[in-house]
Amino acid sequence: MAMLSLQAVVLSALLQNAWSINSRFPPNFKFGAGSSAYQIEGGWNADGKGLNIWDRFVQEIPSPIMNNDTGNVAADSYRLWREDVKAAAQMKLQFYRFSLSWTRILPSGFTNEINKAGVKYYSDLIDALLAEGIEPVVTIYHWDLPVKISDLGGWTNPLIVNWFGDYARVVYSLYADRVKTWLTINEPNVMCDLFYNTGAYAPGIKEQVYGPFLCNKYVLLAHAKAYRIFAEEFRPKYIGRFSLAYHALWIEPATRRDAALAELGRQHQLGRYSYPIFSKRGGWPPSIEKLMLKVSLAEGYSESRLPSFTEDEIEFIKGTADFYGMNHYTSYLIRPSTPEDEPGIWFLTGSPELRATLFYPPGSSYGAASIFPVYPVGIRRMMAWVKRQYGDIDILITENGFSTSGYQLADFGRVNYIREYLEQVQLSIEVDNVSVIGYAAWSLIDSFEWTDGYTTKFGLYEIDFNDPNRTRTPRLSANYYACVIAARSLDVKDSCWCED
Ligand code: NOJ
């Protein structure tokens, strides 16, 4: 028996290898790349655009951004968007994921004024992509909140549910005739937890007790509102598939004893944002709901710091996605904290049973170190977990990428990263029967990497930030990715650009 199972293991390992090298990606699997408005557009005050929290944050003195960088010009895609379309077309991308700047369309954040120039900008971009046979995948919100809405409490104010809904309605009425795949909100978990916990990102508020949890609730309701507005007012006329783009960090136990803690970690960092939408039961993940109540009462609060849902709210949120949008970069190991450890940002403070420490798997970096250590098998495990948790849903990988620094066209590290992660994606599809419907490399071009400014680069295309024309040049990884797309397989050379 033991012998047999050993053979089975060896055989399955061999098969997995064979699959990872030879197989083609299934016909429904699409290749793309991504970007976000604040990170590439520039044109921060051009043609009637209103102010968002990043426009304001980068002006703070002292600057919270490395080298005092700003996104005021960035890759200048507001002016040079045709070059982005050209880059996408050159690699023969099947889709391009980009985000809309809320205040470029609605300068105040509200519907009292619609900025024609902003409306036209995205309309032209969508048309140009479609003309090249590239599907536009649109993120409605990627962290650039209108300052007015932020000053009114932003994601912690329940009224944002309607405000976001109003914005979404405007966007659908403008673009739903041409856009069929929507991501309502980018990385809600990073936005609520990281931003409020550390204050390191705009709007720079550090309020760990309630901020992340209020934001968690209202971001779910705002997403559901946008989904339901589409379903009720637009679905009769237009097709549209919806999800959010989750920051799906894979968490593994550091030792066998930490298995339960690892699962709690996953529910805490991702389940709180996915379970209410994708589970059959709806509402908060039970383990987290129970612990948060216990912890909050022990801390002396009269109720859980995790705000409750009414039955109506649970029903309103449940089922409001058509696929699972997943940004995945890296993995962590988890173990209980010792008293000397800093409390991790994704963990609750104040209770010994919830204090855990996350750290990178040993040996998970190679080459010029990415800001995210490399652990390819994590993406496969992450997707298997999503399938176990929420059933056989389609998964779209909405971001995956490797960072470099400095000017460097021969980005072997990025090529290896893409290959190794895509091998794991193939194993997910072929061996684990996960329905993975596409992959977006992050990012199409170098961009403003938030507090890292321009020191961290994810682009398949390099941008010369010293050149007023912001010249775009394909890196080796762009060539490699084009080869993979052309072959629909990983059985390609590192570069086949010239052989086309
Ligand atoms: C996720 C975010 O969505 C994106 O804005 C960022 O640039 C990448 N991660 C890389 O850090």
Side-chain angles (χ1 to χ4, degrees), residues 43-50 78 103-104 107 113 115-118 121:
W44 73 284
N45 59 359
D47 302 337
K49 177 179 160 293
Y78 184 63
T103 56
R104 204 179 283 294
E113 189 199 344
N115 179 27
K116 281 206 187 112
Y121 172 66

Side-chain angles (χ1 to χ4, degrees), residues 106 108-114 163 166-167 170:
L106 304 178
S108 69
F110 300 96
T111 55
N112 60 314
E113 189 199 344
I114 298 187
W163 297 336
D166 288 346
Y167 165 48
V170 169

Side-chain angles (χ1 to χ4, degrees), residues 371-390:
I371 57 168
F372 300 121
V374 179
Y375 193 68
V377 71
I379 196 167
R380 178 177 175 193
R381 294 183 183 154
M382 186 74 254
M383 292 198 280
W385 182 86
V386 167
K387 182 174 175 179
R388 276 201 306 280
Q389 289 283 308
Y390 309 125

